[in-house]
Amino acid sequence: MARVMYLECFSGAAGDMLLGALIDAGLPVDALRDALGSLAVAHEITVNQVLRCGITATKFDVAPLGQVAGDDTRKPHTHGTGASARTHTHAEEDGHRSLDEIIRLVERSSLSVPAQTRAAALFRRLAQVEADIHGVPVNDVHLHEVGALDSIIDIAGAVFAMEWFGIDDIEASPLNVGSGVVDIAHGRFPVPAPATMRLLKGVPVYSDGPKMELVTPTGALLVSDYARRYGPLPAMTLGRVGYGAGTRDTPTSPNVLRVVIGDRMETAGQEQPSAVVQIEAEIDDMNPQLFGPATDRLFQAGALDVFLTPVFMKKGRPGTLLTVLAAPPRREGILDVIFRETTTIGVRIQTLERETLDRTWEEVAVPGGRVRIKLATRAGVVVNAVPEFDDCVKVAEMSGRPLKQVQADALSAWSRSSASGNG
């Protein structure tokens, strides 16, 4: 059966709430700390169990290095005023960073290449939203939210966490955005804030509960990027459940984001496959050097896969078949990139059903470091185990050992752990 993750946003969504819920659902905190530490951004995180309206939930906090996360004793600056608002300082370590600076941090981190690509795309999307709101080029935008320490950690951490769970089939409830007003850098605005409103375009939302901001720009960014469908809890056999706490403890409803993970149930004798759109175009009049940058931008726009196939076109001319696979909500963004970055004047589009193996991660120790193993399972049985290539490269470089030996050691360590019942 296919694994499915459901994001229940009855009390809104924020980056720290999503990370708290994923930790509560089983994400190892040490693995998250290692990944975030590789960003080379001086910070400290704390993870605590708290009560929200009588419900135990996990609270994730981040602060500049040397300052206790969640306990700001210096001059504060507040991003948002709602249930998920955070207060932090503008110390030198927590200064607003430009988009280019953030992308460089991501590209130098130990995140996998797909995770780096997705994180960079998320930061670019947030920056583009800010640019559109203020009417300036994206390279000139002053990144208030995206440049702050908590936003960098929340976005990069969420990308790592989602990859760790390895679940592509992600759904969400409609988002409760709250009501009232919110104080941002440019003044007081009605809820949702302008950036949040733009990021939630095409997403079902509603307003309920106390007058406060319930969805932050980072929360809107992450939920809208990962969720493929919106609606009620899908039919599933329940597995893991996690609760991520917001900052405030509201009296009438728990201020939490709930993550539910399970095996999708069969309907009418069939498993529900994951739908994707396939967009294709044959191109014979384009400089081949342009395909590389076009492919990069397609991945930044949310493509699941992009591949190029040599073909022969009319009059025997050699050409290239561009094929892009993406989740249906990403269709328009993908089309924009194709028509902007290539010379094609038309594409073919069809909706396909896709079956994927369930994926999870385990970590093993090898001489010279640690390596993650990607496990692919079907009906609970492991059918493939592959060492993460970037982890093996890192260990090989640090230890001076051959890369192929590191890969073999990682598989051997996982096999021993699995055989002993510890995998």
Side-chain angles (χ1 to χ4, degrees):
M1 291 186 180
R3 298 283 283 173
V4 59
M5 177 185 290
Y6 184 67
L7 310 178
E8 200 162 3
C9 307
F10 60 89
S11 190
D16 59 326
M17 295 171 73
L18 179 59
L19 273 172
L22 294 172
I23 292 170
D24 207 44
L27 175 70
V29 176
D30 288 343
L32 178 62
R33 280 199 171 96
D34 288 345
L36 295 176
S38 72
L39 289 169
V41 177
H43 72 279
E44 294 181 4
I45 65 172
T46 59
V47 178
N48 296 301
Q49 292 292 300
V50 299
L51 285 176
R52 292 292 180 263
C53 199
I55 298 294
T56 302
T58 296
K59 184 71 178 72
F60 177 89
D61 280 301
V62 61
L65 189 63
Q67 177 186 334
V68 178
D71 181 19
D72 189 358
T73 58
R74 293 175 288 179
K75 185 177 179 180
H77 175 78
T78 302
H79 286 300
T81 59
S84 304
R86 285 176 174 172
T87 302
H88 62 79
T89 70
H90 278 187
E92 182 179 352
E93 302 89 344
D94 193 20
H96 290 161
R97 294 171 174 83
S98 70
L99 175 61
D100 287 342
E101 289 174 326
I102 295 171
I103 299 302
R104 285 195 293 269
L105 291 174
V106 171
E107 291 176 343
R108 294 169 183 167
S109 73
S110 66
L111 295 175
S112 70
V113 173
Q116 289 180 12
T117 300
R118 187 152 200 170
L122 286 167
F123 285 117
R124 289 190 181 97
R125 182 182 170 207
L126 189 53
Q128 187 63 62
V129 164
E130 292 282 357
D132 291 344
I133 289 173
H134 302 304
V136 299
V138 68
N139 292 330
D140 296 339
V141 69
H142 181 61
L143 300 172
H144 298 288
E145 285 286 352
V146 71
L149 174 66
D150 49 6
S151 295
I152 295 173
I153 295 299
D154 287 351
I155 293 171
V159 169
F160 171 81
M162 288 299 198
E163 184 181 69
W164 185 89
F165 279 100
I167 301 173
D168 289 329
D169 193 2
I170 300 173
E171 299 189 24
S173 69
L175 278 75
N176 183 4
V177 297
S179 62
V181 296
V182 57
D183 292 316
I184 61 175
H186 299 280
R188 177 165 291 188
F189 284 80
V191 169
T196 303
M197 185 75 83
R198 293 235 180 180
L199 289 163
L200 292 177
K201 182 179 180 180
V203 175
V205 300
Y206 66 99
S207 176
D208 190 25
K211 289 187 175 182
M212 60 179 62
E213 178 191 41
L214 295 181
V215 178
T216 66
T218 304
L221 175 75
L222 293 169
V223 174
S224 64
D225 189 79
Y226 278 97
R228 296 190 176 188
R229 288 174 292 273
Y230 297 89
L233 181 72
M236 69 169 79
T237 302
L238 288 176
R240 299 181 179 185
V241 178
Y243 293 87
T247 300
R248 295 188 179 183
D249 185 11
T250 52
T252 57
S253 178
N255 180 25
V256 299
L257 185 152
R258 181 161 66 180
V259 168
V260 183
I261 300 173
D263 294 320
R264 190 183 285 278
M265 293 176 59
E266 297 182 3
T267 302
Q270 298 290 330
E271 290 188 10
Q272 294 182 356
S274 177
V276 294
V277 290
Q278 177 176 288
I279 305 173
E280 290 187 328
E282 290 101 351
I283 303 171
D284 65 357
D285 59 351
M286 179 168 150
N287 183 342
Q289 293 176 315
L290 299 179
F291 279 108
T295 298
D296 292 340
R297 290 196 170 101
L298 286 166
F299 278 119
Q300 292 166 11
L304 297 170
D305 200 3
V306 181
F307 53 93
L308 306 171
T309 308
V311 294
F312 285 98
M313 302 175 65
K314 60 185 178 181
K315 299 182 181 179
R317 291 199 302 263
T320 301
L321 173 64
L322 169 67
T323 304
V324 184
L325 299 178
R330 297 291 174 213
R331 169 175 165 162
E332 291 305 313
I334 296 294
L335 290 175
D336 287 342
V337 173
I338 291 175
F339 287 126
R340 186 175 67 247
E341 300 292 340
T342 77
T343 58
T344 188
I345 59 174
V347 300
R348 294 184 303 275
I349 304 173
Q350 57 181 322
T351 301
L352 306 176
E353 293 181 352
R354 187 175 71 143
E355 291 283 355
T356 60
L357 295 175
D358 299 330
R359 285 170 290 171
T360 57
W361 293 87
E362 292 185 8
E363 194 174 65
V364 298
V366 299
R370 301 185 68 82
V371 174
R372 289 171 294 162
I373 306 292
K374 182 187 290 186
L375 304 178
T377 62
R378 184 172 177 82
V381 178
V382 176
V383 297
N384 202 13
V386 179
E388 178 62 26
F389 183 76
D390 291 341
D391 291 357
C392 293
V393 170
K394 182 179 178 181
V395 172
E397 290 176 345
M398 295 179 63
S399 65
R401 299 169 59 239
L403 176 59
K404 63 182 180 180
Q405 187 60 55
V406 175
Q407 291 176 312
D409 289 345
L411 273 179
S412 178
W414 174 79
S415 296
R416 290 194 302 270
S417 175
S418 178
S420 65
N422 295 325

